[in-house]
């Protein structure tokens, strides 16, 4: 069976794999026979989650750290001798308006910076180092060597009030998709980005219940929160379809946030 036509045997690195969409991706990929490196913060449940799955190892790192990501990739090579798939799920949210007149408070700059650093810079840090490993892979008959999947958000296009930092960080990830594909296509590496709508995870659960209910009501169909495995299923589809490249894919039940 040609490599990348199924997840079986593929060495996959999932950032943010200890929770939510990343965890669901680790679960689906390991069940499909992939060998998975779960990367998440040392303070996360990464160790516990990895232990619950077959062919899964936890390698702690802050994705914004060049040094820690380099160590994760070194350990991946030491344990698995290659890297085939990278799924960037790690990310944080923030709810803050540009200016709160009640508190006479402009959006704190360090908060804006932190969101961009984790979501955008962290995603790029994983990619720029993972490409070095993928480029060493033996190509399959289609000359394919690797697949990179990033996680943006519908907020990249329909950002709500209070989402200026988050939307900027996610729009940047969507904006990176095509130039990344152009840059690394010569090595046989494809790049796609998923823009999830509202999914049932701890990150979304941080919103006021009223907000979650209002958002869920605006999902056209199916009118419910997305299931994290539905995100993971999209990741599997991207890996297994060799002609999908440079694309940003909304996965949102036709939600258009107001
Ligand atoms: C996470 C994925 O990437 C997908 C998504 O992006 S899902 C969309 C997530 N949306 C957000 O995070 C919105 C962030 N913004 C906010 O939470 C608020 O605007 C803010 C906290 C920054 C400022 O809110 P503020 O102006 O102080 O008003 P606040 O008192 O919080 O809320 C006003 C009302 O709007 C509601 N509300 C807050 N956020 C809401 C939202 N996202 N959608 C709908 N209603 C919302 C509140 O429940 C409140 O209702 P109430 O007056 O009846 O109690
Ligand atoms: N849940 C949704 O509705 C939704 C919608 C659109 C986009 N997203 C995006 O999907 C991704 C996953 O979100 P989720 O809902 O599963 O959230 P989550 O909070 O359940 O999981 C995020 C994971 O990322 C990890 N993480 C955060 N900062 C990190 C860092 N610096 N280094 C390493 N790991 C780090 C966290 O420890 C956590 O395990 C995020 O990028 C989020 O922005 C989520």
């Amino acid at each position: 069976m040609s490599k990348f036509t199924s997840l079986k045997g593929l060495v996959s690195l999932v950032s943010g794999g200890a929770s939510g969409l990343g965890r669901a991706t680790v679960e689906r990929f390991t069940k499909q026979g992939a060998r998975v490196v779960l990367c998440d913060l040392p303070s996360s449940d990464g160790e516990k989650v990895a232990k619950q799955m077959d062919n899964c190892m936890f390698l702690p790192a802050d994705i914004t750290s060049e040094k820690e990501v380099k160590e994760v990739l070194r350990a991946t090579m030491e344990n698995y001798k290659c890297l085939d798939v990278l799924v960037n799920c790690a990310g944080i949210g923030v709810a803050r308006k540009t200016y709160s007149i009640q508190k006479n408070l402009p959006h704190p700059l360090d908060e804006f910076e932190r969101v961009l650093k984790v979501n955008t810079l962290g995603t790029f840090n994983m990619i720029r180092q993972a490409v070095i490993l993928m480029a060493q892979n033996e190509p399959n008959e289609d000359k394919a060597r690797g697949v990179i999947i990033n996680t943006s958000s519908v907020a990249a296009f329909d950002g709500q009030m209070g989402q200026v930092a988050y939307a900027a960080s996610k729009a940047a990830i969507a904006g990176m998709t095509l130039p990344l594909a152009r840059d690394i296509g010569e090595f046989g590496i494809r790049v796609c980005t998923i823009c999830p709508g509202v999914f049932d995870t701890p990150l979304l659960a941080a919103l006021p219940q009223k907000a979650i209910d209002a958002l869920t009501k605006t999902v056209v169909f199916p009118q419910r929160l997305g299931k994290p495995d539905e995100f993971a299923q999209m990741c599997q589809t991207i890996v297994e379809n060799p002609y999908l490249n440079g694309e940003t894919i909304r996965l949102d039940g036709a939600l258009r946030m107001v």
Side-chain angles (χ1 to χ4, degrees):
M1 171 111 78
S2 163
K3 193 170 177 181
F4 299 112
T5 49
S6 91
L7 291 173
K8 195 162 174 46
L10 293 183
V11 177
S12 306
L13 171 55
V14 181
S15 78
S19 176
L21 303 183
R23 176 170 179 164
T25 303
V26 172
E27 283 168 358
R28 175 174 276 260
F29 275 40
T30 48
K31 280 188 190 131
Q32 297 282 330
R35 290 171 290 164
V36 178
V37 172
L38 188 166
C39 176
D40 208 306
L41 292 169
S43 57
S44 72
D45 286 344
E47 189 69 60
K48 193 172 78 178
V49 172
K51 283 203 172 87
Q52 293 164 2
M53 303 187 202
D54 299 330
N55 294 316
C56 182
M57 70 180 294
F58 174 55
L59 290 175
D62 179 330
I63 62 168
T64 64
S65 160
E66 196 162 6
K67 184 165 155 283
E68 293 179 25
V69 169
K70 194 170 182 171
E71 173 50 26
V72 164
L73 292 165
R74 186 205 61 76
T76 300
M77 284 303 270
E78 185 184 321
N79 286 280
Y80 292 121
K81 313 300 176 220
C82 71
L83 178 64
D84 300 311
V85 179
L86 169 64
V87 184
N88 286 305
C89 277
I92 57 174
V94 75
R96 183 79 69 188
K97 283 182 171 176
T98 305
Y99 174 56
S100 162
I101 196 152
Q102 298 85 344
K103 300 167 198 154
N104 187 25
L105 180 77
H107 192 306
L109 202 54
D110 62 346
E111 205 173 75
F112 190 95
E113 185 178 26
R114 176 85 188 127
V115 174
L116 271 291
K117 188 170 181 191
V118 172
N119 293 355
T120 308
L121 182 133
T123 293
F124 185 65
N125 188 30
M126 292 295 290
I127 293 169
R128 60 189 281 276
Q129 298 199 50
V131 167
I132 301 166
L133 274 58
M134 291 180 176
Q136 297 166 34
N137 287 341
E138 267 309 298
N140 74 1
E141 51 284 7
D142 215 6
K143 301 195 179 69
R145 288 193 174 86
V147 182
I148 293 171
I149 300 168
N150 301 318
T151 308
S152 174
S153 163
V154 293
F157 310 109
D158 330 333
Q160 289 197 311
M161 191 188 289
Q163 283 201 297
V164 63
Y166 183 74
S169 75
K170 293 299 183 173
I173 292 173
M176 285 158 48
T177 307
L178 185 56
L180 278 169
R182 288 173 164 165
D183 278 357
I184 59 181
E186 66 177 290
F187 311 125
I189 303 168
R190 291 186 288 117
V191 185
C192 281
T193 292
I194 302 170
C195 292
V198 284
F199 279 71
D200 186 12
T201 73
L203 183 130
L204 193 78
L207 273 176
Q209 190 53 48
K210 267 186 68 129
I212 296 172
D213 296 344
L215 282 161
T216 308
K217 281 203 187 74
T218 52
V219 180
V220 174
F221 181 77
Q223 198 167 82
R224 57 167 171 76
L225 296 181
K227 296 172 190 157
D229 184 56
E230 290 166 337
F231 172 89
Q233 189 183 351
M234 179 55 80
C235 291
Q236 179 173 350
T237 299
I238 291 168
V239 172
E240 294 178 348
N241 189 321
Y243 210 60
L244 208 44
N245 193 13
E247 189 50 64
T248 296
I249 305 163
R250 286 185 73 128
L251 185 65
D252 61 16
L255 164 71
R256 293 300 177 267
M257 295 199 296
V258 292

